[in-house]
Amino acid sequence: MNIILVIFDSLRKDCVGTYGQTPCWGYRPETPHFDALAKESLVFARGYPESLPTLPTRRAIYTGQRVYPFHNADFRLKGDFVGAPGWGPIPEEQPTLAERLKEAGYRTGLIADVYHMFKPSKNYWRGFDQWMFLRGQEQDPMRSGPHLTSEQVDYWLPKFAQTPHRIDFINQCVMNIHDRNREEDYFAARVLKESALWLEQNQDADRFFLTVESFDPHEPWHVPAHYRRLYSTDEPGEQVVSTYRSTEDIPEELMRRTQANYAGLVTFCDRWFGFFMEQMRVMGLLENTLLLFTADHGHSIGDYGYIGKRGYPSQPDVFDVPIIVRRPDRAGAGRTSDLIVQHTDLSAEILMAAGLDLPDELDGQPFVDRALDGGPPLRDHATVAWGSAVTVVKDNWWFNAKANGKGAFLHDMAAEEPFARNLADDHPEVVNDLFAAALADAKGGIPDWIMDLAEGEADAPGCSALAART
């Protein structure tokens, strides 16, 4: 059986129509091709990352092993920035999915524009017979000129958002795309077109494993104008960046523009994913290929008065991820499972589908058969780490605190407005139980350097003075 893994960066679960949710801005992007996939697939309603953001997530997906609690993960490599604990290469002692499958006789391919994976200090292409890096996303130093004029900076970056760092950011972003004229020149289209071409060029493979990595709909939200106009025809000025702060000083019309750009980019990704799926259909691959579809995380775009993504305080708009699995026999087509599934489980499911023994060091578990057969849960909670903070989701509870147990948040997801109130002080026993679960998942204990980070970081506004303990 062939295997394809598709990952979209920053694709919110509530922007995939099949999940039936609506983002905070009041409308759902059109995703007919994602939804068509879901009708032929088993959909997982409770999907979560293991560690965040970009690179820790992919390390967990590519190895099936936990990154939390970030032992040997304090990377400070030349030419890179410290995006978060765990932001570094895959450790040499951890085999990747591609390496295991190549050894088992699979032809392996990676098509991606996630430029963090391809920096000189990284090694996320290990084990791939062919890996293709499509350059130009974000601050990839693909071009060194021409620089933007001050008028061009003002067009792409609103005055309220202009700082030296963001000016440098948008300058590099726009330099990289200055000659882009057609829809098919945009990043997601390029990734999915090249992925479709890879399928065509590798028809002689007995079996293959292809990983498709689209950085879209990650910021900057550059999208062909006709996709944005599906959601807004206002012309208040451009807004394609995330300021990682409160939305209080963002004019309402620019907030709407931001949301329309993101929604348009989601629909753009969906349209070109449909192109890729059509390639699979005409090549007869739908009958012999396992396809797994997910995102690394979401992005707050006005949710709870914030724009950006963060691990503390945490919310579902960033931490909930779509997980959709299409088997060749369409087992479970149109069904939704409430199993708690995490990114590490994708590796276990893929290895099992390939007929390989599951290594003892794997932290994930195969999950599709269990969902189809109504078997026992894989786990009763999900622990998701980001930097010096940890989130635990169990039953209806959403718990978030720093790794030292301080600055706790507790929310009842069954409430009409779950994040309207912090319930930590009302339920200290629940706080302690969920923090104990987080510590139990931290193999080898929380490293001292993570504890030092937690002690040095301020408690988030609205947190409890209660310190979780075990």
Side-chain angles (χ1 to χ4, degrees), residues 95-407:
T96 67
L97 265 176
E99 288 172 319
R100 295 186 192 277
L101 291 170
K102 181 177 180 178
E103 185 177 341
Y106 277 76
R107 185 176 299 177
T108 56
L110 169 66
I111 312 295
D113 66 339
V114 183
Y115 78 108
H116 299 294
M117 296 166 54
F118 298 94
K119 290 177 178 177
S121 58
K122 307 302 187 292
N123 58 2
Y124 285 78
W125 55 85
R126 272 176 29 199
F128 288 104
D129 291 308
Q130 176 186 337
W131 54 269
M132 176 176 284
F133 171 28
L134 298 170
R135 295 197 61 183
Q137 278 281 16
E138 212 177 58
Q139 286 189 284
D140 174 22
M142 187 180 79
R143 289 185 173 134
S144 56
H147 282 225
L148 302 187
T149 65
S150 59
E151 291 79 10
Q152 289 171 320
V153 169
D154 288 344
Y155 172 79
W156 287 109
L157 194 63
K159 288 288 189 183
F160 75 86
Q162 290 186 12
T163 64
H165 169 73
R166 288 201 194 96
I167 290 172
D168 288 344
F169 175 87
I170 203 67
N171 186 65
Q172 186 67 61
C173 293
V174 177
M175 278 197 303
N176 287 346
I177 63 170
H178 73 82
D179 58 353
R180 186 167 69 181
N181 299 311
R182 302 174 301 170
E183 176 177 328
E184 63 189 64
D185 297 330
Y186 283 68
F187 290 113
R190 292 171 59 202
V191 168
L192 289 155
K193 281 172 53 187
E194 289 293 346
S195 298
L197 180 61
W198 190 93
L199 296 178
E200 183 179 342
Q201 292 175 336
N202 288 274
Q203 295 181 69
D204 64 315
D206 292 332
R207 51 184 181 163
F208 65 78
F209 169 58
L210 173 65
T211 298
V212 181
E213 286 266 17
S214 172
F215 199 50
D216 286 341
H218 191 286
E219 62 170 312
W221 299 299
H222 293 293
V223 63
H226 49 284
Y227 286 92
R228 189 251 307 149
R229 286 196 293 265
L230 289 170
Y231 307 106
S232 174
T233 56
D234 295 342
E235 297 293 343
E238 195 49 274
Q239 214 307 87
V240 299
V241 300
S242 189
T243 52
Y244 291 85
R245 63 178 180 182
S246 167
T247 59
E248 288 181 359
D249 59 349
I250 301 179
E252 183 178 347
E253 63 273 14
L254 286 182
M255 199 68 242
R256 288 197 303 269
R257 175 72 168 217
T258 309
Q259 292 161 345
N261 280 335
Y262 177 82
L265 196 51
V266 169
T267 298
F268 176 72
C269 290
D270 173 86
R271 180 261 185 268
W272 285 94
F273 177 75
F275 174 88
F276 177 76
M277 290 296 292
E278 180 65 7
Q279 179 82 338
M280 289 185 65
R281 186 191 69 79
V282 299
M283 291 182 62
L285 292 173
L286 295 176
E287 286 71 44
N288 61 8
T289 303
L290 172 70
L291 190 147
L292 303 96
F293 174 104
T294 192
D296 55 353
H297 51 69
H299 200 106
S300 298
I301 311 178
D303 306 78
Y304 312 104
Y306 185 76
I307 182 168
K309 52 187 184 285
R310 57 188 176 182
Y312 177 70
S314 64
Q315 282 108 11
D317 44 285
V318 175
F319 278 61
D320 282 3
V321 296
I323 295 179
I324 301 173
V325 181
R326 185 194 186 280
R327 281 185 167 180
D329 60 3
R330 304 189 188 186
R335 286 173 51 185
T336 298
S337 170
D338 286 328
L339 281 183
I340 294 177
V341 179
Q342 295 200 255
H343 277 151
T344 47
D345 299 323
L346 298 176
S347 298
E349 184 66 32
I350 288 170
L351 292 175
M352 188 194 72
L356 303 182
D357 294 332
L358 300 185
D360 292 339
E361 65 269 20
L362 222 63
D363 291 305
Q365 304 176 58
F367 57 95
V368 173
D369 281 342
R370 197 170 303 195
L372 292 172
D373 299 340
L378 279 70
R379 55 184 66 84
D380 67 356
H381 70 279
T383 300
V384 187
W386 187 329
S388 65
V390 64
T391 295
V392 180
V393 182
K394 181 178 181 181
D395 300 325
N396 289 326
W397 294 115
W398 184 285
F399 168 74
N400 178 223
K402 296 191 294 184
N404 56 9
K406 297 179 181 179

Side-chain angles (χ1 to χ4, degrees), residues 436-451:
L439 293 181
D441 289 336
K443 292 182 179 179
I446 305 292
D448 289 343
W449 73 279
I450 292 290
M451 293 295 284

Side-chain angles (χ1 to χ4, degrees), residues 417-449:
E417 297 184 35
F419 290 86
R421 185 163 170 257
N422 182 6
L423 302 176
D425 290 335
D426 298 340
H427 300 281
E429 73 288 351
V430 177
V431 169
N432 290 334
D433 175 64
L434 297 181
F435 186 61
L439 293 181
D441 289 336
K443 292 182 179 179
I446 305 292
D448 289 343
W449 73 279

